[in-house]
Amino acid sequence: MEKPGKIALPKGKLGILTPGMGAVSTTFMAGVELVRKGKAQPVGSLTQLGTIRLGKRTEGRSPLVKKFVPLAELKDLTFGGWDIFKDNAYQSAANAGVLNPQDLEKVKTFLSGIKPMKAAFDHDFVKLLDGPNIKKGKNKYELALKIKEDIANYRKSSRVSRLIMCWCGSTEVFVKPEEVHSTPEKFIEGMKSNHPAIAPSMLYAWAAITSGVPFANGAPNLTVDIPAIQELAMEHSVPICGKDFKTGQTLMKTILAPGFKARMLGLDGWFSTNILGNRDGEVLEDPGSFKTKEESKLSVLEYILQPKLYPMLYGKMHHKVRINYYPPRGDNKEGWDNIDIFGWLGYPMQIKVDFLCRDSILAAPLVLDLVLFLDLAQRAGMKGIQEWLSFYFKSPMTAPGLYPEHDLFIQSMKLKNTLRWMMGEDLITHLGQEYYD
């Protein structure tokens, strides 16, 4: 890919559209408004709080990321979305119970003005939810065209100069790529014939990309991991990325597993179980939706530890993942990990992790970073899969034939080196031999 010659400045408003206006998206919207009002800090956001080293360590150049690359400012963000329930963003946030009433009260007027558009919904893909705010159409193609119409109407009514779409909806049932996903033409025919392998999230992705709107996939759904959508992204010069926000338990795996591998410590097994009581937990009670999530969570250790390269250390590891819906826990998920490792001479050791995390609190800053970086990528003329944003996902997208990089620290280096490359700065290798010449 050619280095961007000139990155267009972020002039005007940036509209953020979220299919799904539940816990994650409303926590994101409320958080941005609280930060804009000076009532909170954007903790967890690399774009807002992170720095980036430029040049040699002796130069002392480490500007804030948002001062180094031309990102949209928080004051210029506007919000919209779709949901199967009619609740406005304030009502939805209150129902989700992520933020306390005192914080929600500070942004009640703002959130109350964000009302969901009717959603494209198919009960076959999310079996344990149903709602009244649903689009009607004779086929999936008609529904996709209605989403395109929503995008155009929002662009006009909100007077935004640019748009980004980020899927914050539920996990859909597991779908494998089929012939209908192979080309844009077959995909359109499939929508017209209501092909059962075309999920609602794919309709949003198709509508966004053919409208010139970048798309981020925050769930483990297949969505943009199909040739038809990827071809359209290149054709329409639209950046895409995914999939599945890396928040709680998987975040811990991508921090711990690289450490075991770096020190050549063996792994016999890793048992993970979760309890959560939010809408995501309810959806994952369905075996089809759980299968989609399980595939996303299980792939991490395989790619980080590379058992084929290290059969003695990782060739026989047992990796199990369980998710249990437990309503009293709400959005405050608890992830337990039992890790059986072994060291020198094969002697066994154990590590126990109990992460009492807040799922949407961890996800909200990821949404912010992703929409700002996707907007930057589009203004820089970048299109198609944005692998440099793997840092944010459980199942990062890659070019065909490439295995995904799951190591959080390599992902971080790749992200920052991409920003340096975009701005014409030297890449950082961390070799550092010149300091000792």
Side-chain angles (χ1 to χ4, degrees):
M1 184 181 287
E2 288 185 15
K3 189 180 295 184
K6 187 177 181 183
I7 301 174
L9 294 176
K11 295 178 181 177
K13 292 183 182 179
L14 175 63
I16 314 301
L17 295 174
T18 60
M21 276 178 51
V24 171
S25 57
T26 58
T27 303
F28 157 64
M29 294 171 188
V32 169
E33 182 66 2
L34 285 165
V35 172
R36 292 194 289 208
K37 291 168 75 76
K39 304 291 187 183
Q41 294 297 325
V43 178
S45 169
L46 177 65
T47 60
Q48 302 306 299
L49 300 181
T51 62
I52 182 167
R53 186 189 122 199
L54 306 176
K56 296 179 180 179
R57 279 179 276 168
T58 49
E59 294 177 31
R61 290 194 296 146
S62 292
L64 287 167
V65 168
K66 65 181 180 180
K67 300 291 185 185
F68 175 57
V69 290
L71 297 177
E73 295 186 35
L74 297 192
K75 67 179 178 63
D76 293 326
L77 302 188
T78 70
F79 307 97
W82 298 262
D83 203 273
I84 64 172
F85 299 106
K86 293 181 179 180
D87 295 341
N88 63 42
Y90 172 77
Q91 293 165 324
S92 179
N95 291 336
V98 178
L99 302 177
N100 63 48
Q102 294 88 342
D103 281 332
L104 280 181
E105 193 62 31
K106 295 171 189 172
V107 292
K108 181 176 181 179
T109 303
F110 171 75
L111 291 177
S112 297
I114 305 171
K115 296 171 182 170
M117 297 174 272
K118 287 186 177 181
F121 181 74
D122 187 336
H123 200 263
D124 288 340
F125 283 88
V126 182
K127 296 184 185 299
L128 298 183
L129 286 185
D130 227 331
N133 202 39
I134 294 172
K135 290 187 188 300
K136 302 294 182 185
K138 64 182 179 182
N139 55 38
K140 295 179 180 182
Y141 184 62
E142 191 172 291
L143 292 175
L145 291 179
K146 288 185 176 182
I147 297 170
K148 283 193 68 148
E149 191 176 324
D150 289 341
I151 294 169
N153 290 339
Y154 182 86
R155 192 191 297 270
K156 185 177 180 181
S157 64
S158 298
R159 298 178 182 175
V160 296
S161 61
R162 306 172 320 283
L163 285 168
I164 304 290
M165 190 181 292
C166 183
W167 177 270
C168 295
S170 296
T171 299
E172 297 169 331
V173 300
F174 185 67
V175 177
K176 288 185 177 180
E178 296 189 20
E179 186 65 21
V180 71
H181 304 131
S182 61
T183 68
E185 295 76 22
K186 289 181 180 178
F187 189 78
I188 289 175
E189 286 305 311
M191 287 193 287
K192 289 178 178 177
S193 64
N194 282 327
H195 195 288
I198 295 180
S201 62
M202 295 176 184
L203 305 184
Y204 284 96
W206 180 87
I209 290 163
T210 57
S211 300
V213 177
F215 188 96
N217 179 19
N221 313 328
L222 189 62
T223 314
V224 288
D225 277 6
I226 55 175
I229 295 293
Q230 292 171 16
E231 185 178 327
L232 286 170
M234 296 299 289
E235 183 182 315
H236 290 270
S237 297
V238 172
I240 57 174
C241 63
K243 61 188 180 184
D244 204 4
F245 299 134
K246 181 159 57 183
T247 50
Q249 196 169 60
T250 306
L251 173 63
M252 298 306 296
K253 285 180 179 174
T254 62
I255 292 170
L256 292 172
F260 301 153
K261 182 182 172 187
R263 292 293 296 265
M264 289 289 106
L265 294 171
L267 179 70
D268 280 327
W270 197 313
F271 180 83
S272 300
T273 190
N274 303 261
I275 55 173
L276 72 162
N278 58 13
R279 194 189 295 181
D280 195 31
E282 185 178 2
V283 167
L284 293 173
E285 282 283 274
D286 172 57
S289 291
F290 173 71
K291 173 68 174 171
T292 307
K293 177 68 77 170
E294 184 183 37
E295 289 287 318
S296 171
K297 290 170 79 75
L298 282 175
S299 63
V300 172
L301 293 184
E302 186 80 16
Y303 285 115
I304 291 176
L305 298 176
Q306 299 175 294
K308 289 182 180 177
L309 290 180
Y310 304 98
M312 186 186 75
L313 298 176
Y314 311 118
K316 296 181 180 179
M317 68 173 174
H318 296 272
H319 187 198
K320 298 287 184 185
V321 175
R322 296 287 180 266
I323 298 174
N324 301 285
Y325 179 49
Y326 182 59
R329 190 51 57 109
D331 195 68
N332 297 339
K333 183 171 74 175
E334 185 163 1
W336 293 302
D337 287 278
N338 175 78
I339 312 164
D340 287 287
I341 65 173
F342 58 91
W344 185 246
L345 309 180
Y347 277 69
M349 296 174 278
Q350 282 194 351
I351 297 171
K352 310 283 189 185
V353 179
D354 186 7
F355 190 12
L356 288 85
C357 65
R358 296 172 181 263
D359 232 22
S360 299
I361 293 295
L362 290 167
L366 306 192
V367 179
L368 176 59
D369 284 359
L370 284 165
V371 297
L372 294 182
F373 279 143
L374 278 179
D375 177 52
L376 172 70
Q378 187 167 49
R379 287 184 283 108
M382 298 164 75
K383 57 189 177 181
I385 296 169
Q386 304 298 300
E387 193 191 338
W388 61 286
L389 296 175
S390 296
F391 181 71
Y392 297 103
F393 296 109
K394 289 190 185 81
S395 299
M397 294 177 68
T398 63
L402 281 183
Y403 68 82
E405 181 55 72
H406 280 279
D407 183 317
L408 185 77
F409 306 100
I410 295 175
Q411 291 174 337
S412 174
M413 189 186 303
K414 185 180 186 70
L415 189 156
K416 290 189 173 182
N417 266 339
T418 302
L419 297 179
R420 295 180 184 108
W421 169 80
M422 290 170 73
M423 299 302 291
E425 287 279 346
D426 290 340
L427 307 190
I428 301 243
T429 65
H430 300 284
L431 181 63
Q433 286 298 322
E434 69 273 16
Y435 301 124
Y436 301 95
D437 289 341

